[in-house]
Amino acid sequence: MSCVFCAIVAGESPAIRIHEDDDYLAILDIRPFTRGHTLVLPKRHSVDLTDTPPEILAGMATLGQRIARAARATELADATNMAINDGRAAFQTVFHIHLHVLPRRDGDKLSVAKGMLLRRDPDREATARILREALARAEASQQD
């Protein structure tokens, strides 16, 4: 299966590059939600959060923060949304992990978080227990 982001990293497909170093590439999204919508991707292919090493995720976040600061120093942004869509159910469409950096302007019409403030978990304690138990199992399996 071919990966469009791997082709971009290899220079085989076009993209407008914002930043590039040995490990990461930042490009403008071809279907931006906002002006300056940038994608930060590791050059080494991984699909999602489950198979991406933590240090790679940290590097993506660090570069995303640098891009957000740069955008906020211009007319492009008053604020920033940063997100990773992790899996098909989370609207991931390119299965090469990437971080979205969305410059935001006061008064723009994008509603990324619309409705989130009104949602309630009917049983927060049960949800917390599920997550704590899953974390404990994952940590125990890493020690084996």
Side-chain angles (χ1 to χ4, degrees), residues 79-99:
T80 309
N81 285 114
M82 289 185 12
I84 293 175
N85 298 339
D86 180 43
R88 195 173 309 281
F91 309 109
Q92 184 178 5
T93 58
V94 177
F95 293 91
H96 180 128
I97 195 160
H98 54 286
L99 172 71

Side-chain angles (χ1 to χ4, degrees), residues 57 71 106:
L57 295 171
D106 288 329

